[in-house]
Amino acid sequence: MPAITPEIVAEHGLSPEEYNRVLHAMGREPNLTELGIFSVMWSEHCSYKSSRIRLKKLPTTGPQVICGPGENAGVVDIGDGQAAIFKMESHNHPSYIEPYQGAATGVGGILRDVFTMGARPVANMNALRFGSPDHPRTRHLVAGVVAGIGGYGNCVGVPTVGGEVNFHPAYDGNILVNAMTVGVADQDKIFYSAASGVGNSIVYVGSKTGRDGIHGATMASADFSEDSEEKRPTVQVGDPFTEKLLIEACLELMASDAIVAIQDMGAAGLTSSSVEMASKGGVGIELDMDAVPCREEGMTPYEMMLSESQERMLMVLKPGREDFAEGIFRKWELDFAVIGRVTESGHMVLKWKGETVADIPLGPLADDAPLYDRPAMSREDYKAWAQVKPLGDVPESTDIAADLLKLVASPDIASRRWIWEQYDQKVGGDTIQPPGGDAAVVRVHGTNKALAITTDCTPRYCYADPYEGGKQAVAEAYRNLCAVGAKPLAITNCLNFGNPQRPEIMAQIVGCLEGMSEACIALDMPIVSGNVSLYNESRRDDGTGSAILPTPAIGGVGLLDDWSKSATIAFKGYCFPVIVVGDATGHLGQSLWLRELHLREDGPPPPVNLANERAIGEFVRQLVSESKVSAVHDVSDGGLLVAIAEMALAGGTGFLATVPFHSARAFGEDQGRYVVTPMWPGEDEEILLRARKAGIFAEVVGSTVSETFDLKKGFELQASDLRAAHEGFFPALMSV
């Protein structure tokens, strides 16, 4: 093996100080294999060394929580002895380099996190961020990412039921691809990853190991420079058909009593899976590298340990159950190999060709990994750095209807039909609400229950005020779940930020987490799993970093006791009163109207009153459960008039205003609001009366009609023109 030089250390992403810690932990100089193992385990992607200290402050417990952060995915109680298991993860850097495989393997990885714990995956979601629509790479990236998500999810047989897509120049050099999976399991058949039982066999199952994805975790822990294309070999290659076999084989084995512990091989592959299993169990591990199934000739232990080849799992089996387990995996035409055993040494020991090629104490690799309390700007200093202009004077719209037409055609509001029509939304037969609404709804198979699922974040709010933006991301997830009638249970997250060594970026992280934490506590939505993705920025020619907008994506899950009572956004006919629930001041700061119509990203984001969010959400949820409303939609991007337009387009109706619409009323993005229609025309009085008794503002702003959008004062347009504008953006963007 080559001598370890400062250049080799730097190539492995370790600082001189971190390498000195390696020397101290080992008591000697590491060889190349040992250095590689330290480099991936101490990478930002695996160790969370810049964020762990902040994450500890998040609320993670509650009566509904069975398992919080620390395992492959979070677990919450959904009653009747069942559990929902879910998580969201990033695959940002790989998707920018190779969009199809990057996105596809992101889906495959998050699926494994969920079925590793004994759950059958029932739904996939995603949260995507791309650069400016006119950037020369955007069309290529959108096409590849969407094809990768659809190609993997469709083939593996799990419906992709929703998500979100935004565009902004801040993502030109670093897109975001966040994937979420939700599964269902019996509470007495949940599997964990802590290895135990000295002498127990360690078993490798799934696909063979190749050279794809080597150093993927290290690559994901650095910003992009001009050589990003050279990193293409670090992107993994997925095979959804093998993943489907792996799901079925694992679930079949899980129905027995053979498994002690199980872990998927995700980031850092065989290294992270074996280290995490051993360290969580407080044991040692010895691996025979000659027994690892490889698909390429001459692979070294370094390559085998750092490969991120897909569709692989690591298990600890009970004594004497190896042949039984092997029979199952051979039946499903998957590799099965006993590659090691559990020891009491507290070390990871690798044997190859009769020699020991690595011997590392496990404590420093996992629990004692570097932990940094990075300096962060104060809120005032951040505000000065961000240079968000005050809102100032805002010109009144001269044509509300024309503004609405432009807004519904804008990249962040336009119909995503072009995307979700490429996804199999209904495979499995349990999808109640597919993409297009506030939250997807998927029935818990064989029951009347359903899970509601949403992904949410408004990055422009988070940039302007990280604290309020963090609150709003959680609050909107809460609102979307309430809008379909679900009781919010818990959230997962994917925290996407730039370089944490920059105090302004740490200020974004700290502010967003403070806001998220406050909202989770107030709304009783603990965080049960998640992922941190840092260094999401590209290098400018002058060597400085160009960071993404702070994007703490939230994945929310809620429960409906009766799926047949879920609400949808579509207006159900003509002559229905349209009611807005929740008061507003007409907040235009950071609104899409201000950005799209006046090219300004000015002012503070709308404040979030968490007490109001909870009270109004519970009020709307009660209306849904009692079948008092025929349509429900939360008010978010674009404001009240955009929400009404989306409901009308979904239902094939128009809208007749009964109150005057001006810029602030039409397009202000005040939080904590919903638009509802009663179950039948003429039944609005009961809703208004109940709102008054609850101390909640509610107002009739118009009614549904057939063909037109009549907004008074001569502002009018045809519903057909609105639909054409709304449906036109993606086909135009993706046309050859």
Side-chain angles (χ1 to χ4, degrees):
M1 289 189 180
I4 304 301
T5 65
E7 291 75 19
I8 289 177
V9 171
E11 288 172 3
H12 282 75
L14 294 172
S15 69
E17 294 78 15
E18 288 171 343
Y19 183 63
N20 284 333
R21 291 186 61 161
V22 172
L23 293 175
H24 178 74
M26 296 286 290
R28 59 175 172 81
E29 185 176 271
N31 61 39
L32 185 63
T33 299
E34 292 166 335
L35 180 69
I37 289 170
F38 269 103
S39 77
V40 293
M41 289 307 299
W42 285 9
S43 69
E44 197 75 65
H45 195 75
C46 292
S47 74
Y48 294 179
K49 57 191 174 186
S50 296
S51 57
R52 281 203 328 272
I53 198 167
R54 308 289 181 178
L55 297 175
K56 292 176 181 178
K57 300 177 182 179
L58 294 174
T60 59
T61 60
Q64 69 273 45
V65 178
I66 295 173
C67 178
E71 275 294 338
N72 288 290
V75 186
V76 296
D77 185 354
I78 60 171
D80 305 312
Q82 294 179 302
I85 300 181
F86 57 97
K87 190 181 181 183
M88 178 187 279
E89 278 203 340
S90 63
H91 232 223
N92 303 333
H93 285 39
S95 298
Y96 183 80
I97 296 169
E98 213 301 296
Y100 183 94
Q101 289 296 347
T105 53
V107 173
I110 197 63
L111 282 165
R112 287 193 300 281
D113 278 337
V114 168
F115 75 75
T116 294
M117 298 195 70
R120 179 170 291 280
V122 298
N124 288 332
M125 297 278 282
N126 53 72
L128 312 177
R129 300 299 188 293
F130 297 102
S132 172
D134 57 10
H135 188 276
R137 279 184 62 90
T138 296
R139 180 180 175 276
H140 162 72
L141 292 169
V142 171
V145 166
V146 171
I149 291 171
Y152 205 100
N154 295 354
C155 292
V156 84
V158 178
T160 300
V161 294
E164 57 173 349
V165 186
N166 292 138
F167 295 83
H168 193 280
Y171 304 100
D172 280 347
N174 198 128
I175 65 172
L176 301 185
V177 175
N178 297 170
M180 177 180 175
T181 293
V182 181
V184 174
D186 291 334
Q187 291 182 21
D188 61 355
K189 280 292 185 181
I190 295 172
F191 291 81
Y192 299 97
S193 58
S196 64
V198 172
N200 281 348
S201 295
I202 296 167
V203 172
Y204 171 121
V205 300
S207 292
K208 289 180 168 60
T209 295
R211 290 189 170 95
D212 55 317
I214 292 175
H215 272 302
T218 307
M219 178 269 291
S221 304
D223 54 21
F224 276 142
S225 58
E226 65 280 353
D227 65 348
S228 62
E229 286 298 315
E230 297 175 13
K231 297 177 179 177
R232 192 175 297 273
T234 64
V235 177
Q236 309 90 332
V237 177
D239 180 352
F241 299 103
T242 299
E243 181 105 339
K244 174 61 174 172
L245 299 177
L246 189 59
I247 291 173
E248 299 304 330
C250 286
L251 292 177
E252 182 175 340
L253 183 60
M254 286 168 170
S256 73
D257 64 348
I259 298 174
V260 174
I262 182 169
Q263 175 78 37
D264 84 293
M265 296 192 212
L270 185 52
T271 290
S272 65
S273 56
S274 55
V275 169
E276 289 172 12
M277 292 177 78
S279 61
K280 286 177 183 176
V283 296
I285 191 167
E286 181 178 300
L287 300 181
D288 176 7
M289 304 310 293
D290 294 304
V292 174
C294 293
R295 67 168 179 259
E296 299 185 47
E297 293 292 329
M299 289 191 70
T300 65
Y302 178 96
E303 293 172 321
M304 287 184 256
M305 292 302 293
L306 270 59
S307 168
E308 294 185 9
S309 294
Q310 297 293 286
E311 295 88 39
R312 301 180 300 158
M313 311 285 278
L314 201 63
M315 299 179 181
V316 176
L317 297 182
K318 292 182 179 178
R321 303 294 277 164
E322 295 87 353
D323 289 345
F324 170 76
E326 181 172 9
I328 290 174
F329 283 89
R330 297 297 184 196
K331 181 184 74 173
W332 289 100
E333 300 181 347
L334 296 166
D335 274 282
F336 178 99
V338 176
I339 65 166
R341 62 187 181 89
V342 176
T343 69
E344 56 186 356
S345 68
H347 282 229
M348 167 186 274
V349 177
L350 307 183
K351 303 281 189 177
W352 186 53
K353 296 183 177 179
E355 296 184 4
T356 298
V357 292
D359 187 344
I360 306 173
L362 283 162
L365 274 179
D367 298 336
D368 299 332
L371 179 63
Y372 298 122
D373 188 358
R374 306 278 193 195
M377 286 182 176
S378 68
R379 287 190 189 179
E380 285 304 311
D381 287 344
Y382 176 80
K383 186 176 180 181
W385 173 85
Q387 296 183 326
V388 176
K389 296 178 182 177
L391 183 59
D393 293 331
V394 178
E396 180 56 50
S397 174
T398 58
D399 189 337
I400 292 291
D403 286 1
L404 174 62
L405 198 66
K406 186 168 183 178
L407 268 179
V408 300
S410 66
D412 283 359
I413 295 179
S415 168
R416 272 73 178 124
R417 183 186 304 276
W418 181 89
I419 292 178
W420 52 257
E421 282 188 342
Q422 298 185 53
Y423 303 153
D424 190 334
Q425 313 140 32
K426 297 186 178 182
V427 61
D430 285 319
T431 304
I432 305 301
Q433 283 199 44
D438 284 320
V441 179
V442 178
R443 182 179 58 176
V444 178
H445 193 75
T447 75
N448 290 326
K449 297 181 298 187
L451 297 175
I453 314 161
T454 184
T455 55
D456 296 286
C457 184
T458 310
R460 64 184 186 277
Y461 292 176
C462 295
Y463 180 85
D465 186 332
Y467 169 71
E468 284 294 337
K471 279 202 299 184
Q472 191 274 341
V474 174
E476 187 173 349
Y478 177 88
R479 209 155 53 234
N480 282 339
L481 296 173
C482 290
V484 298
K487 179 183 179 181
L489 292 177
I491 66 172
T492 182
N493 60 58
C494 199
L495 307 176
N496 307 274
F497 294 92
N499 185 341
Q501 298 177 56
R502 295 166 54 188
E504 64 271 21
I505 302 299
M506 275 309 302
Q508 294 173 349
I509 295 170
V510 170
C512 284
L513 289 177
E514 287 178 352
M516 288 168 54
S517 180
E518 185 175 327
C520 288
I521 293 169
L523 301 175
D524 192 21
M525 291 177 70
I527 297 171
V528 297
S529 61
N531 171 243
V532 180
S533 176
L534 304 180
Y535 295 95
N536 287 291
E537 53 185 70
S538 52
R539 287 284 172 186
R540 299 189 181 99
D541 292 339
D542 62 4
T544 60
S546 174
I548 63 164
L549 297 180
T551 312
I554 301 296
V557 173
L559 179 66
L560 287 131
D561 292 328
D562 184 350
W563 64 263
S564 68
K565 290 187 176 181
S566 63
T568 63
I569 73 169
F571 287 149
K572 301 305 186 291
Y574 308 142
C575 303
F576 281 79
V578 177
I579 305 167
V580 59
V581 179
D583 205 357
T585 61
H587 189 102
L588 288 170
Q590 294 300 319
S591 67
L592 283 182
W593 176 80
L594 191 67
R595 188 181 83 186
E596 298 296 327
L597 273 298
H598 298 282
L599 305 180
R600 291 169 53 185
E601 296 185 341
D602 299 347
V608 178
N609 184 319
L610 293 169
N612 283 354
E613 285 282 1
R614 182 156 187 166
I616 297 170
E618 290 176 348
F619 174 76
V620 169
R621 202 162 68 241
Q622 189 68 24
L623 292 177
V624 175
S625 70
E626 295 178 14
S627 299
K628 297 295 183 183
V629 284
S630 58
V632 183
H633 191 16
D634 85 306
V635 179
S636 55
D637 282 347
L640 175 59
L641 200 51
V642 166
I644 292 171
E646 289 172 338
M647 297 174 83
L649 289 169
T653 76
F655 172 72
L656 173 64
T658 55
V659 298
F661 275 89
H662 47 78
S663 300
R665 169 177 257 162
F667 306 119
E669 295 182 7
D670 303 72
Q671 299 296 291
R673 294 186 297 158
Y674 301 77
V675 178
V676 305
T677 53
M679 185 55 68
W680 301 105
E683 293 185 353
D684 50 309
E685 281 302 324
E686 181 183 355
I687 293 174
L688 297 174
L689 177 61
R690 291 176 64 159
R692 282 196 296 271
K693 288 182 177 179
I696 293 170
F697 176 86
E699 175 188 28
V700 175
V701 295
S703 63
T704 60
V705 294
S706 59
E707 300 294 334
T708 62
F709 257 68
D710 188 342
L711 305 175
K712 301 176 74 74
K713 295 186 178 180
F715 300 144
E716 183 176 324
L717 70 161
Q718 295 300 307
S720 58
D721 293 336
L722 198 67
R723 183 175 301 280
H726 189 237
E727 297 281 354
F729 169 74
F730 271 100
L733 174 68
M734 304 310 296
S735 62
V736 177

